[in-house]
Amino acid sequence: MEKWKAVLKNNSDILGNYLISVLLVAVISIFYRGFGSLSHISVLLSDFAILGFLVIGQTFPVLTGGIDMSVPYMMNCAAVVLNYGVNTKNWSLPAAFLVVAAITLLAGTVSGFCIAWLKVHPMIMTYGMNSILMGALLSWTKGTAGGFTPEGLTIFAKAKIGFLPVVTLFFAAGILTLMLVLKRSAYGKRLYAVGNCKRAAYFSGINVKAVTMAAYMISAVCAAVGGLIMSGRVGQSYLGMGDSYMFITLAAVAIGGISMNGGKGHVAGSASGALLITIVLSMLTVLKASLGVQQLLYGVVLLGALILEANKIRFGGRRKKYDH
Amino acid sequence: MADLEVKGLSKAFGGVQALQNVDFQAAKGEVHALLGENGAGKSTLIKCLGACQSYDSGEICLNGKRLTAVHPRQAMEAGIGIIFQELSLIPNLSVADNLFLGMKLGNKTSVTRKRIACRRAEKIFEEFKVEGIDPEQKVESLSLSEKQTLEIVKVLSRDPEVVVFDEATSALTANRVEWLFGLVEQLCRQKKIIIFISHRMGEIRRFCSVVTVFRNGQNVGTRLLTEVENDELVQMMLGRKIAGYYPEKTDTCREDAALETKDLFFEHYLDNVSIRLKYGEVVGIGGLAGQGQNALLLALSGAVKAQRGEILLDGKQAVLKNPKQAMAKGISLVPEERATEGLVLELSIADNLLLPVVSDIARFGLINRKKEKELLDHAVESLQIKVGNIDNPVNSLSGGNQQKVVLAKLMMTHPKVLLLYDFTRGVDVGTKNTMFTLLRKLAADGNCILFYSTDMEELVNVCDRVLVMDQGAVKADLSGERLTEENILKASIGDGVA
Amino acid sequence: MGNQKNRLQRSFSNLNIWIPYMILAIILIIMGIYQPGVINFNWLNRQADAWVTLALAGIGQTLVFMIGGTDLSVGGVISFTNCLAAVYMPQSVPGILAFSLGILLIGVLAGAFNGFIIVKFRLQPFIATLTTWAIWSGAALCILSVDGGKVPSLFTKALLHKFGSVKVSLLLLAALIVIGIFFKASRLGIALVSVGSNEKGAYFGGISVTRTKILVYMISGLLAAASGLFRTAQVASGSPTAGDSFILLSCASAVIGGCSVATGYYSFAGAIVGAVIMRLLTGLMVATGVSSYMTSLLQGVILILAVCLSSFTALFHNRKKMEVDV
């Protein structure tokens, strides 16, 4: 009991995020009838699953103190390769899945390797990887976007149990798995050590480079899953389908209590950020806010979150000094 | 009224009181020496003087006027020039650019600045009788002695009223020390206030007239150098002996060598170090700070690779690419910085303890709760760590208990060779006792321990044998009767040992 | 022995400085082979317009890199200034002048804000400027949701004017190279290297680290705004996403231009050459018949290779220091 209380207390801002999300839905549905309807909530939940996968992936590089800016084309790549392979190259669906998995893992590994071993700045490396994937994709498909999504995937992406989309349940399972990885696995323990203090981790006999590389691989896989689900929901893949997500994932991660300096926060937190952003996005659409206002708001919100976090640490530090 | 007066200065870092209500006075035309062990508060005092650091209370007055500088530049403008121990030169800039760093130089955006700077630099070098340094050269291509010379010239060329030499002679070659001696005499004649920090007694006797001794952040007394013997100064530096908490030394040394090095070399850090450590032996490393002790421990723990030479473990050559490999082979290091290298402060005590062994207790990547609990219980019990809750973050513990966690963490891997870097710093007496008892017990069990400490008293009372390092080389190997604090001090400051 | 080693090391770092010029020469030679006669003064005049926008942003990025930061907000500032100029610029001569000055001032303020939040709240530069990028490009979208706007013809003419046969852009590039030489010798030019190379040493040496950092971000903002003005004149319309491609490209120009915190080397000319290289790559691919789809792939590869190269230089540099390679 004691333990649960402590967990609740430590994660109060994350709970706050979930609470605000629910409240927002409730408040807006008073003004706009349709917003709170079960069908709309179901739409929100599957949007949440797509963004959520990208965000929990992004969590891992950020936990190491890095960043993954290759999310947009990682997800785009997964969707287009699958559709193009099945439609134009006549691959079987399982084979196409295997190819997608291989490509994303390879891209994640290359990013991770260059960042960990060759000391390339994470942002430049992943931004470069984003543009490499874009170029590779364009030249492979000759600029066509891949076409319609295979039936199997669309059925999965659109399936519902009651009003609950299956993909949301799938996403919940994803959160649980990654939570287990973070909190109860050897890798998770090492990841937090690396994120908080690379030197201390190194002197504790941890292979810092391998841990860092693995984080980028996990992010790549999660982004690919998000891309596939999105392509299944939309029914086709198109170029640039991930472009708007680069910034949103970072904002969600920051709102979800993951420190951009690494080592703090977990996937349940970043998922709460994703939920909040999904709802705010949908709200802005309902309120007919322009893209510009949306982007402006992201910027301001993220900056606010960052400054708050930076100050929290400083206040915390001051308090600690008095304690001793 | 003294010309430079420090009144009631206090400064604390976290829980450690670096300066406690320090009063200090220096007069014009005298060369005032500051003496004290590492961490006694000399450097902190100097940094406060130069406004490189804020202080909690107290005041500093120059010529009766209170100094209010909050940025080093303001202190400089007020006439305080500090020659730092850790060089404040910018390696990527040329000698001339460093010399005039942050200074207005005539026409300030002129391209001819480079030429003007070089010409003025040459003039200054001429004035200070420095030869062999090209103003256009990049500072990083200079030797350590030349860098130190440049640092001295840089500060003196700005004509400060107070000149502080913070161990400015540590890297100078012999003829440069002569040069500096002439310079200091000249400064004396110009009625400057000169403060001189050095660990070398010979230099202090030669350069200075007055000496103030610091211990544990306090001023323990000021003496005229003509009226005080070296023995008395050493006594003042070391303070009253606190005896009784060292465990009894028993000879548990075995015959077979655990760890050997052959001609370990790293430019500027290690100078052909060859040592031989046996099982069951506690070996200390002494010497002034920064004489290659850290480099040696890092090389032995696999964190850095020596440029030449080899490391033998049990008589066989050992390749140690990183600490992980070294740990797997049975060598563990307690690193220098507890907060950034020893522990991940934000993580829980349990997580920290388990870090080196997480793979051993995991099945399919997931940690086995039962094995985890067994290991943790054992660790807490064997080291008597006072923990409220093992899931609390490790920074909720006191310094001593934190260090116990570091040690317990390393003991998880059952090392054969334990390397310790100054691990009793900031640790209370009771904890020290526990740790030393543990060290002797580990040695009795046949482990090999290499222990670096800046505290000579500890070295003498805990170790079977002490190696004294100076400028990257092992200068003395003291054991038995010869193992005394005086001998360690003598060997560290370059005197021969009887 | 020591002397020889020094000379070896120096020639190595010199090599690094010449890399951008060598790459440029190789590209020009290849283009000359595939399309003989195409490279002449007129071509230079035409290309200079495309070069100058990127060169301005690249120089700003170079300076920010040298203090160990990154400025992603250049993208947002370029978009914003572009849209602002395309929508609101008046027709009269004094109006145009005042408006242009106002836009440059906005750039300076944007930079000052970046510097302030980075220094004051100790935010990581790239995440801090990422947020300001979003804010500025959001503001750009608010002004102009799709490409459009109308730019006074006088303004376009002024910035595309030819003095004799030399275009303003070309003159500006030449002027920037000269300004660069002066800047490197100035107090700020030296302070910036010292902050990037040894922040503590610079502080102890009496340099105001805070002021230097904020000033550098201000310069970067100013140059980004200038780049936005040029873009407006060249395209004669505004686009809310005009600046987005500049983020990667400006970083690439800076890195290929040979600036390195480890060695303390940077130059305006190098950044300009870096920008020219990035711009010519597209032309090169057209010339050699590489599909246009490959452009972004090759840009990514070249950027990463260039960064790897500079990190190897840093590794080579650090090998003599006793650093723990985590």
Side-chain angles (χ1 to χ4, degrees):
Chain A
M1 200 61 223
E2 192 83 353
K3 202 173 170 186
W4 284 107
K5 242 182 217 166
V7 169
L8 281 184
K9 200 180 154 204
N10 285 338
N11 295 313
S12 55
D13 16 353
I14 293 165
L15 280 176
N17 282 344
Y18 285 116
L19 208 69
I20 293 172
S21 308
V22 174
L23 280 178
L24 268 181
V25 174
V27 169
I28 300 166
S29 57
I30 296 172
F31 298 100
Y32 294 87
R33 283 271 114 155
F35 202 87
S37 70
L38 278 186
S39 63
H40 187 254
I41 285 180
S42 152
V43 170
L44 280 181
L45 282 177
S46 50
D47 281 352
F48 170 46
I50 294 170
L51 178 60
F53 267 111
L54 306 180
V55 168
I56 58 175
Q58 180 74 270
T59 308
F60 282 77
V62 174
L63 276 178
T64 66
I67 193 168
D68 186 358
M69 305 194 53
S70 61
V71 166
Y73 269 88
M74 202 66 85
M75 65 180 286
N76 213 330
C77 200
V80 171
V81 166
L82 186 85
N83 295 358
Y84 189 75
V86 171
N87 292 335
T88 316
K89 303 272 173 186
N90 294 319
W91 296 345
S92 67
L93 198 54
F97 272 120
L98 276 182
V99 173
V100 169
I103 288 176
T104 42
L105 272 177
L106 180 72
T109 312
V110 171
S111 294
F113 178 83
C114 290
I115 291 162
W117 270 271
L118 305 181
K119 304 271 180 283
V120 180
H121 193 290
M123 185 199 65
I124 290 180
M125 182 62 222
T126 50
Y127 208 129
M129 179 54 77
N130 194 41
S131 95
I132 288 176
L133 286 173
M134 178 163 93
L137 204 58
L138 278 168
S139 45
W140 187 56
T141 64
K142 316 250 170 359
T144 60
F148 294 105
T149 311
E151 211 177 27
L153 190 55
T154 37
I155 292 173
F156 172 73
K158 288 179 178 167
K160 280 183 199 175
I161 301 172
F163 75 98
L164 269 179
V166 171
V167 285
T168 313
L169 296 175
F170 183 50
F171 172 57
I175 296 184
L176 281 180
T177 315
L178 289 180
M179 262 324 249
L180 203 64
V181 167
L182 282 179
K183 294 294 174 192
R184 289 302 312 160
S185 78
Y187 176 72
K189 300 277 180 205
R190 294 200 193 104
L191 180 68
Y192 279 111
V194 168
N196 272 308
C197 186
K198 285 195 170 62
R199 280 181 86 88
Y202 179 72
F203 279 110
S204 302
I206 289 173
N207 190 339
V208 177
K209 290 167 180 164
V211 170
T212 310
M213 186 168 90
Y216 287 90
M217 290 162 72
I218 294 175
S219 171
V221 171
C222 287
V225 172
L228 291 180
I229 294 177
M230 184 168 177
S231 134
R233 278 247 309 162
V234 179
Q236 62 177 46
S237 56
Y238 53 97
L239 290 169
M241 60 194 273
D243 281 0
S244 60
Y245 282 106
M246 180 191 291
F247 192 66
I248 297 181
T249 53
L250 288 173
V253 162
I255 293 169
I258 320 285
S259 163
M260 283 290 158
N261 296 316
K264 264 166 229 77
H266 48 73
V267 285
S270 51
S272 81
L275 180 64
L276 192 61
I277 283 198
T278 310
I279 287 166
V280 171
L281 253 177
S282 158
M283 190 179 84
L284 290 171
T285 321
V286 171
L287 298 175
K288 297 194 177 59
S290 72
L291 200 63
V293 175
Q294 288 182 24
Q295 189 133 5
L296 203 77
L297 274 177
Y298 283 147
V300 173
V301 167
L302 183 53
L303 188 61
L306 286 172
I307 289 176
L308 266 181
E309 191 202 75
N311 279 326
K312 197 166 82 186
I313 290 169
R314 206 163 317 154
F315 295 146
R318 202 170 293 163
R319 212 171 42 230
K320 240 171 260 150
K321 257 180 207 167
Y322 285 123
D323 281 349
H324 280 287
Chain B
M1 184 92 196
D3 300 308
L4 176 70
E5 190 162 15
V6 174
K7 277 182 261 180
L9 205 66
S10 291
K11 170 77 189 172
F13 294 106
V16 184
Q17 197 75 27
L19 288 177
Q20 286 178 49
N21 205 9
V22 166
D23 293 312
F24 172 77
Q25 286 161 355
K28 281 184 182 167
E30 75 177 15
V31 185
H32 199 123
L34 291 189
L35 257 182
E37 285 186 301
N38 294 308
K42 299 162 297 181
S43 286
T44 313
L45 175 71
I46 295 312
K47 281 189 182 141
C48 290
L49 185 64
C52 298
Q53 210 160 60
S54 63
Y55 41 88
D56 301 334
S57 62
E59 59 177 17
I60 300 171
C61 299
L62 181 62
N63 294 330
K65 248 181 29 208
R66 192 173 169 186
L67 283 179
T68 51
V70 290
H71 191 277
R73 162 189 295 281
Q74 292 163 335
M76 254 175 235
E77 280 159 5
I80 289 171
I82 299 177
I83 296 148
F84 282 102
Q85 175 185 2
E86 72 259 55
L87 305 164
S88 68
L89 299 172
I90 312 297
N92 287 333
L93 289 177
S94 73
V95 168
D97 281 340
N98 264 291
L99 214 45
F100 303 113
L101 191 68
M103 277 171 81
K104 286 201 181 80
L105 203 65
N107 195 351
K108 60 179 176 181
T109 48
S110 156
V111 226
T112 51
R113 180 187 160 109
K114 195 173 159 191
R115 211 166 346 126
I116 297 172
C118 283
R119 218 179 298 140
R120 281 195 33 195
E122 270 165 19
K123 221 193 250 164
I124 287 174
F125 283 149
E126 213 171 290
E127 192 187 330
F128 284 97
K129 300 193 187 68
V130 176
E131 281 150 19
I133 298 180
D134 175 8
E136 281 184 56
Q137 216 173 344
K138 265 194 180 183
V139 162
E140 67 181 349
S141 65
L142 298 178
S143 74
L144 208 55
S145 171
E146 283 171 324
K147 279 184 196 165
Q148 190 99 64
T149 311
L150 179 61
E151 177 91 19
I152 293 170
V153 172
K154 173 182 150 189
V155 172
L156 293 186
S157 68
R158 296 175 187 196
D159 197 29
E161 221 173 310
V162 182
V163 188
V164 183
F165 295 87
D166 189 356
E167 293 191 38
T169 51
S170 58
L172 289 183
T173 54
N175 49 355
R176 291 259 196 233
V177 174
E178 285 307 312
W179 163 82
L180 183 66
F181 185 59
L183 218 55
V184 169
E185 278 192 327
Q186 192 185 330
L187 288 171
C188 254
R189 279 196 300 275
Q190 291 167 356
K191 292 285 171 210
K192 308 271 185 197
I193 302 167
I194 303 156
I195 296 171
F196 195 89
I197 299 178
S198 172
H199 283 289
R200 299 192 173 142
M201 206 57 94
E203 276 168 14
I204 287 181
R205 290 258 167 220
R206 221 183 129 190
F207 280 79
C208 311
S209 50
V210 191
V211 59
T212 296
V213 181
F214 277 81
R215 189 176 69 233
N216 295 335
Q218 283 171 322
N219 180 345
V220 262
T222 303
R223 302 274 189 283
L224 283 177
L225 267 164
T226 46
E227 294 171 2
V228 64
E229 291 298 316
N230 276 5
D231 286 350
E232 190 186 339
L233 286 176
V234 169
Q235 194 68 40
M236 282 167 80
M237 274 164 69
L238 297 175
R240 195 170 55 83
K241 309 269 185 222
I242 313 159
Y245 68 90
Y246 292 106
E248 198 182 334
K249 271 202 260 184
T250 45
D251 188 14
T252 52
C253 184
R254 302 181 187 183
E255 276 312 302
D256 38 345
L259 194 64
E260 275 178 273
T261 67
K262 284 195 177 143
D263 295 325
L264 225 49
F265 179 86
F266 199 111
E267 203 179 353
H268 299 317
Y269 294 94
L270 292 175
D271 187 6
N272 294 321
V273 175
S274 300
I275 56 174
R276 189 163 185 272
L277 312 176
K278 283 177 276 189
Y279 282 114
E281 191 180 28
V282 180
V283 181
I285 311 179
L288 302 177
Q291 301 296 326
Q293 298 97 335
N294 196 21
L296 178 61
L297 291 183
L298 287 179
L300 291 177
S301 70
V304 294
K305 197 179 175 313
Q307 286 167 335
R308 284 205 302 273
E310 50 189 52
I311 297 169
L312 301 161
L313 187 64
D314 294 324
K316 286 187 293 269
Q317 187 163 4
V319 183
L320 308 169
K321 276 190 190 149
N322 50 40
K324 186 182 160 96
Q325 276 190 357
M327 278 183 178
K329 291 198 162 102
I331 306 176
S332 285
L333 166 76
V334 174
E336 178 180 5
E337 297 278 340
R338 187 168 56 219
T340 60
E341 296 174 342
L343 293 170
V344 185
L345 286 182
E346 294 84 356
L347 292 187
S348 73
I349 300 163
D351 284 351
N352 268 292
L353 285 171
L354 289 174
L355 274 185
V357 289
V358 268
S359 352
D360 303 342
I361 54 165
R363 201 192 298 160
F364 306 120
L366 290 184
I367 289 168
N368 183 328
R369 276 185 193 274
K370 213 176 115 205
K371 280 189 194 164
E372 180 187 8
K373 197 171 175 319
E374 274 170 27
L375 277 178
L376 289 176
D377 288 346
H378 177 73
V380 172
E381 204 177 318
S382 64
L383 269 166
Q384 308 162 18
I385 308 172
K386 292 184 196 72
V387 288
N389 182 349
I390 201 152
D391 290 322
N392 281 344
V394 80
N395 58 10
S396 66
L397 295 177
S398 70
N401 277 318
Q402 281 184 16
Q403 199 66 290
K404 278 185 185 170
V405 174
V406 178
L407 208 55
K409 178 185 86 173
L410 296 177
M411 297 313 296
M412 292 273 195
T413 60
H414 304 291
K416 291 186 287 189
V417 180
L418 196 58
L419 311 169
L420 307 161
Y421 187 98
D422 206 9
F423 82 131
T424 51
R425 189 182 38 183
V427 166
D428 59 285
V429 176
T431 310
K432 276 186 186 172
N433 184 21
T434 322
M435 287 187 175
F436 292 141
T437 316
L438 179 78
L439 282 195
R440 292 309 319 186
K441 186 175 161 289
L442 285 172
D445 292 345
N447 295 293
C448 166
I449 290 158
L450 187 63
F451 170 39
Y452 166 66
S453 174
T454 47
D455 188 338
M456 286 174 290
E457 190 184 313
E458 275 175 26
L459 288 176
V460 169
N461 287 299
V462 178
C463 302
D464 299 316
R465 184 153 71 94
V466 171
L467 310 167
V468 182
M469 288 186 75
D470 188 23
Q471 297 182 354
V474 174
K475 283 286 159 67
D477 183 345
L478 307 168
S479 59
E481 291 286 296
R482 293 166 72 227
L483 181 54
T484 60
E485 282 182 53
E486 282 72 20
N487 278 348
I488 294 178
L489 194 61
K490 273 184 185 163
S492 329
I493 58 181
D495 277 1
V497 179
Chain C
M1 165 86 181
N3 234 340
Q4 204 179 348
K5 228 175 175 176
N6 259 343
R7 210 177 312 145
L8 212 101
Q9 198 184 336
R10 220 178 283 172
S11 67
F12 188 84
S13 60
N14 274 345
L15 184 77
N16 222 30
I17 292 167
W18 292 111
I19 282 175
Y21 303 97
M22 290 190 305
I23 297 178
L24 179 63
I26 292 169
I27 291 178
L28 287 179
I29 289 169
I30 295 175
M31 287 182 80
I33 291 170
Y34 276 88
Q35 296 172 311
V38 80
I39 299 169
N40 53 32
F41 190 71
N42 272 332
W43 174 83
L44 201 66
N45 246 341
R46 278 198 312 277
Q47 294 281 317
D49 282 337
W51 296 348
V52 78
T53 45
L54 184 55
L56 285 165
I59 290 170
Q61 200 68 262
T62 301
L63 298 180
V64 177
F65 273 9
M66 289 311 290
I67 55 165
T70 338
D71 188 358
L72 302 188
S73 72
V74 288
V77 173
I78 290 174
S79 302
F80 180 72
T81 50
N82 178 220
C83 291
L84 201 65
V87 176
Y88 295 111
M89 188 170 277
Q91 290 286 350
S92 68
V93 176
I96 288 177
L97 273 179
F99 198 83
S100 303
L101 279 178
I103 279 183
L104 294 181
L105 188 69
I106 288 175
V108 172
L109 290 178
F113 182 69
N114 283 336
F116 175 75
I117 55 173
I118 288 166
V119 171
K120 172 82 183 160
F121 300 113
R122 301 202 188 141
L123 301 183
Q124 279 185 18
F126 77 78
I127 193 78
T129 52
L130 192 70
T131 64
T132 48
W133 164 34
I135 292 172
W136 289 113
S137 60
L141 275 165
C142 288
I143 297 173
L144 207 59
S145 54
V146 285
D147 293 9
K150 207 172 159 304
V151 181
S153 55
L154 210 60
F155 176 70
T156 310
K157 269 187 198 151
L159 284 190
L160 298 182
H161 183 72
K162 277 189 181 177
F163 291 99
S165 58
V166 190
K167 261 194 170 170
V168 173
S169 316
L170 209 55
L171 283 176
L172 184 69
L173 285 178
L176 280 173
I177 293 177
V178 177
I179 292 172
I181 297 169
F182 279 86
F183 182 82
K184 267 191 84 169
S186 72
R187 272 172 73 197
L188 181 63
I190 292 170
L192 160 157
V193 175
S194 61
V195 168
S197 129
N198 180 358
E199 192 169 323
K200 201 171 152 196
Y203 179 70
F204 283 0
I207 298 251
S208 171
V209 177
T210 314
R211 203 180 122 234
T212 308
K213 282 188 173 175
I214 292 181
L215 270 178
V216 167
Y217 280 102
M218 280 163 79
I219 293 176
S220 172
L222 171 75
L223 292 176
S227 168
L229 278 181
F230 264 92
R231 203 239 171 225
T232 315
Q234 286 160 15
V235 186
S237 79
S239 158
T241 54
D244 289 355
S245 68
F246 276 82
I247 298 169
L248 180 61
L249 287 175
S250 67
C251 290
S253 316
V255 171
I256 293 180
C259 78
S260 151
V261 184
T263 59
Y265 173 81
Y266 73 100
S267 81
F268 281 29
I272 291 172
V273 169
V276 172
I277 290 171
M278 291 316 288
R279 286 295 196 212
L280 282 185
L281 277 179
T282 327
L284 180 74
M285 282 164 214
V286 173
T288 52
V290 176
S291 115
S292 66
Y293 299 138
M294 293 287 278
T295 319
S296 66
L297 185 139
L298 285 176
Q299 276 181 356
V301 170
I302 287 169
L303 176 70
I304 291 168
L305 282 182
V307 179
C308 281
L309 202 71
S310 73
S311 77
F312 282 141
T313 329
L315 283 182
F316 182 86
H317 232 78
N318 282 338
R319 227 177 36 195
K320 276 171 70 184
K321 294 178 198 154
M322 197 146 192
E323 285 283 332
V324 178
D325 175 31
V326 175

